């Protein structure tokens, strides 16, 4: 692995075509509707749930497949379950919506000299179906169903960046519309405490943090 590949990660410059494919709410990004409301992803297969964008380094792409995907696609056979990161309730490991990079010191003490650890980003897990009892369609008020995870969204901060992993939802029993988890109308229907937890403002091109 070259230094150039590592150093290119903090750069947020991407072509317009890459930005459209990765971040805009369009038909190409929305997963196809499944009859059983599940998508065929095996977190143990090593296959990442989204195609690698041109701007994303291979090590970062592997990070999403090896670290993030087992949490966002945690399941028992074909049924998706809530990962323990959302439920563990210990003083030293409280529930969290974030995946934080490891402390570099521990890697050094364990003689694990992997330079990519120093570049791992923070990842926010916006899986709202784990935060409320049910999601209602902003259009008709019918219950929404899970419709697969979307590609991660980059959020540009003043001195760093982080990613948000979001799921798509589908109104099967009502207006049959698709909604991304970052949809403002969908978020507005959530409890106030849940709304305030969303850390970014998402647009068609650039996402930026709320704080």
């Amino acid at each position: 692995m070259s230094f150039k590949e590592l150093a290119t990660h903090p750069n947020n410059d991407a072509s317009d075509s890459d930005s459209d494919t990765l971040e805009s709410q369009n038909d190409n990004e929305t997963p196809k509707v499944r009859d059983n409301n599940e998508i065929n992803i095996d977190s143990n297969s090593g296959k990442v749930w989204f195609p690698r964008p041109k701007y994303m380094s291979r090590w970062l792409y592997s990070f999403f497949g090896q670290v993030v995907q087992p949490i966002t696609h945690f399941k028992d056979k074909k049924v998706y379950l809530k990962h323990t990161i959302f439920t563990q309730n210990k003083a030293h490991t409280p529930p969290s919506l974030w995946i934080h990079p490891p402390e570099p010191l521990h890697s050094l003490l364990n003689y694990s000299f992997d330079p990519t650890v120093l570049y791992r980003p923070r990842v926010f897990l916006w899986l709202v179906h784990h935060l409320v009892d049910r999601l209602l369609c902003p259009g008709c008020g019918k219950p929404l169903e899970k419709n697969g995870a979307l590609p991660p969204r980059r959020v540009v901060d003043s001195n760093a960046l982080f990613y948000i992993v979001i799921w798509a939802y589908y109104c099967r029993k009502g207006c049959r519309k698709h909604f991304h988890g970052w949809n403002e109308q969908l978020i507005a229907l959530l409890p106030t405490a849940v709304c305030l937890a969303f850390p970014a403002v998402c647009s068609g091109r650039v996402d930026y943090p709320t704080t």
Side-chain angles (χ1 to χ4, degrees):
M1 179 181 299
S2 66
F3 175 77
K4 181 179 180 182
E5 185 178 6
L6 284 172
T8 53
H9 164 55
N11 185 1
N12 195 49
D13 294 334
S15 67
D16 291 341
S17 59
D18 289 344
S19 178
D20 283 343
T21 302
L22 181 67
E23 298 179 347
S24 62
Q25 185 169 355
N26 53 43
D27 292 337
N28 292 331
E29 190 186 59
T30 303
K32 294 181 179 180
V33 177
R34 306 279 179 168
D35 291 337
N36 59 359
N37 193 32
E38 301 292 347
I39 55 175
N40 186 20
I41 295 180
D42 183 0
S43 59
N44 297 320
S45 67
K47 183 178 179 181
V48 187
W49 79 90
F50 64 97
R52 184 173 71 91
K54 294 181 180 179
Y55 78 86
M56 184 176 288
S57 302
R58 295 186 182 278
W59 70 264
L60 181 58
Y61 187 61
S62 298
F63 163 74
F64 278 103
Q66 297 173 5
V67 177
V68 179
Q69 183 163 303
I71 297 175
T72 59
H73 297 80
F74 182 65
K75 63 181 180 179
D76 180 14
K77 297 181 180 179
K78 293 185 177 182
V79 179
Y80 284 97
L81 304 175
K82 183 185 297 187
H83 194 273
T84 55
I85 192 175
F86 301 107
T87 59
Q88 57 190 355
N89 192 20
K90 299 180 180 179
H92 59 285
T93 55
S96 178
L97 300 178
W98 290 90
I99 299 176
H100 293 282
E103 292 287 345
L105 175 61
H106 293 294
S107 298
L108 296 176
L109 293 177
N110 293 322
Y111 300 98
S112 178
F113 303 113
D114 181 2
T116 63
V117 173
L118 303 177
Y119 288 87
R120 285 186 180 181
R122 293 179 298 152
V123 180
F124 184 77
L125 306 176
W126 188 241
L127 281 63
V128 289
H129 51 278
H130 289 331
L131 304 178
V132 296
D133 292 334
R134 63 174 182 171
L135 289 172
L136 299 180
C137 175
C140 64
K142 297 291 185 180
L144 292 176
E145 298 179 355
K146 300 189 298 292
N147 194 39
L150 301 171
R153 297 180 67 92
R154 288 184 299 175
V155 180
V156 182
D157 205 342
S158 58
N159 58 357
L161 62 85
F162 63 89
Y163 287 82
I164 299 180
V165 175
I166 301 174
W167 276 59
Y169 303 94
Y170 178 64
C171 183
R172 184 185 301 273
K173 298 180 180 179
C175 60
R176 295 186 175 272
K177 292 183 178 179
H178 295 269
F179 295 93
H180 291 188
W182 52 266
N183 181 277
E184 293 182 355
Q185 294 177 330
L186 178 61
I187 294 178
L189 294 178
L190 300 175
T192 302
V194 179
C195 293
L196 295 176
F198 192 67
V201 176
C202 298
S203 64
R205 293 288 181 178
V206 179
D207 300 341
Y208 54 91
T210 54
T211 57

